[in-house]
């Protein structure tokens, strides 16, 4: 590269122009990205708060006037409370099991070295990356032949199988970023391996367990496809919300939007209130240290 083309020889005027231009390009791209992400959510809220005439208007109504809660009230009156509490039980138990065994499995993989550790880790993450549609037939036949169709226990087992690899992967990232000096000191003082884990490592993993649990909780709460197939009669909350889409020849878009809004509120609140913990978990899942 010629000396005149090197960054060091670039004129101050060129460098001064690149800075502001790059900043404005970044801002424009950020605004576009936010519009793509926030736009559907805004239209969901907008539709849920509009009267039927405004929803069916040929011209889009960007701001509901007057604001109405009729759609939300209709959904609350017609929503199956059993589906909501069924989802609450299934998600809570499956997330609890995943976050109990996740740190134990991750600690074993990170501290007990064998020739098969790499293969085990690849297999664990591959099970999480497999599309649910590819595994639904095995899940369906296993549930059918074990009597777990339309059974909360069967759905809990499937959710644990799906979410446990994610919990293990997040814990592995945290454990590998931790120095093992305190563990070695505990072992020298006479502690066993698992005593060192419960007394030294587990308290240190508190933040990672919280972030991993929140991430797994959001994914389990939003899951629709597997619950739709395995729980055809004892439906979960997302499946109940999906049932509002089939309303005949005159679809009630306001009711659909209100149902979707109610389903979205718990994950959105979790993401807003615990955003730092979630970012930590996502960073660990991507392999960050």
């Amino acid at each position: 590269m010629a000396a005149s083309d090197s960054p060091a020889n670039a004129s101050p005027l060129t460098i001064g122009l690149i800075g502001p231009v790059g900043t404005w390009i970044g801002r424009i791209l950020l605004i576009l990205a936010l519009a793509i992400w926030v736009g559907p959510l805004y239209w969901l809220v907008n539709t849920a708060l509009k009267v039927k005439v405004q929803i069916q208007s040929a011209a889009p109504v960007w701001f509901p006037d007057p604001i109405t809660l009729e759609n939300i009230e209709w959904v609350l009156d017609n929503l199956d409370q059993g589906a909501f509490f069924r989802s609450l039980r299934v998600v809570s138990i499956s997330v609890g099991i995943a976050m109990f065994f996740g740190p134990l499995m991750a600690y074993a993989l990170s501290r007990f070295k064998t020739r098969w550790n790499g293969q085990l880790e690849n297999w664990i993450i591959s099970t999480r990356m497999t599309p649910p549609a590819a595994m639904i037939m095995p899940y369906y036949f296993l549930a059918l032949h074990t009597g777990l169709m339309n059974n909360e226990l069967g759905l809990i087992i499937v959710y644990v199988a799906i979410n446990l690899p994610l919990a293990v992967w997040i814990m592995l990232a945290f454990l590998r970023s931790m120095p093992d000096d305190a563990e070695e000191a505990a072992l020298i003082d006479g502690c066993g391996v698992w005593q060192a884990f419960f007394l030294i490592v587990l308290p240190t993993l508190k933040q990672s367990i919280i972030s991993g649990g929140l991430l797994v909780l959001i994914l389990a709460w939003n899951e629709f496809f597997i619950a739709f197939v395995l729980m055809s009669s004892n439906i979960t909350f997302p499946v109940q919300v999906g049932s509002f889409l089939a309303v005949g020849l005159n679809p009630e878009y306001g009711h659909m939007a209100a149902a979707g809004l109610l389903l979205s509120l718990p994950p959105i609140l979790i993401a807003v209130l615990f955003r730092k913990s979630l970012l930590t978990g996502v960073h660990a899942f991507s392999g960050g240290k």
Side-chain angles (χ1 to χ4, degrees):
M1 183 173 64
S4 59
D5 297 332
S6 64
N9 294 324
S11 66
L13 178 61
T14 303
I15 297 175
L17 288 175
I18 292 175
V21 170
T23 300
W24 279 106
I25 291 175
R27 289 175 179 175
I28 292 172
L29 292 176
L30 180 60
I31 292 172
L32 291 175
L34 287 174
I36 293 173
W37 292 332
V38 179
L41 180 60
Y42 168 75
W43 200 254
L44 180 74
V45 177
N46 182 30
T47 305
L49 299 179
K50 287 192 295 192
V51 296
K52 191 171 183 178
V53 175
Q54 293 179 337
I55 294 173
Q56 296 179 342
S57 172
V61 179
W62 296 101
F63 302 99
D65 184 23
I67 294 176
T68 179
L69 298 178
E70 291 180 358
N71 296 315
I72 297 176
E73 292 173 355
W74 186 93
V75 171
L76 292 175
D77 292 337
N78 291 272
L79 197 63
D80 182 6
Q81 294 185 3
F84 174 81
F85 289 108
R86 189 174 296 112
S87 280
L88 199 60
R89 289 192 298 270
V90 169
V91 170
S92 300
I93 295 174
S94 61
V95 170
I97 294 174
M99 297 315 300
F100 176 80
F101 287 103
L104 296 175
M105 295 173 63
Y107 183 73
L109 285 171
S110 64
R111 297 297 189 263
F112 305 148
K113 301 297 183 181
T114 69
R115 57 182 296 187
W116 306 109
N117 278 40
Q119 289 84 343
L120 283 173
E121 292 175 18
N122 291 334
W123 176 77
I124 288 173
I125 195 60
S126 67
T127 59
R128 187 63 185 85
M129 295 304 173
T130 304
M135 300 298 296
I136 193 59
M137 290 308 295
Y139 290 148
Y140 177 83
F141 285 113
L142 285 172
L144 187 65
H145 291 292
T146 55
L148 294 177
M149 285 291 293
N150 293 315
N151 191 302
E152 291 182 22
L153 177 60
L155 192 60
I156 289 172
I157 294 173
V158 174
Y159 280 7
V160 171
I162 293 173
N163 293 319
L164 183 57
L166 177 61
V168 173
W169 200 256
I170 292 175
M171 296 299 108
L172 270 174
F174 279 101
L175 284 168
R176 285 173 176 163
S177 65
M178 287 174 50
D180 54 2
D181 298 344
E183 295 173 62
E184 293 177 355
L187 294 174
I188 293 174
D189 290 340
C191 288
V193 174
W194 290 108
Q195 282 181 308
F197 170 74
F198 285 107
L199 296 177
I200 305 298
V201 178
L202 195 59
T204 311
L205 285 177
K206 180 181 178 180
Q207 179 62 37
S208 65
I209 293 174
I210 293 174
S211 60
L214 291 172
L215 188 59
V216 171
L217 175 65
I218 292 175
L219 294 174
W221 178 263
N222 291 334
E223 202 287 316
F224 171 84
F225 182 62
I226 295 175
F228 177 75
V229 175
L230 299 184
M231 306 287 284
S232 56
S233 58
N234 295 327
I235 60 175
T236 59
F237 189 38
V239 178
Q240 169 72 13
V241 171
S243 68
F244 290 119
L245 300 178
V247 291
L249 298 177
N250 187 23
E252 296 287 346
Y253 296 111
H255 298 165
M256 297 181 199
L261 179 61
L262 292 176
L263 178 63
S264 304
L265 278 179
I268 291 174
L269 291 176
I270 291 174
V272 171
L273 295 176
F274 304 100
R275 60 186 182 278
K276 291 184 179 179
S277 296
L278 283 173
L279 287 174
T280 304
V282 172
H283 184 60
F285 182 61
S286 64
K289 296 293 187 287

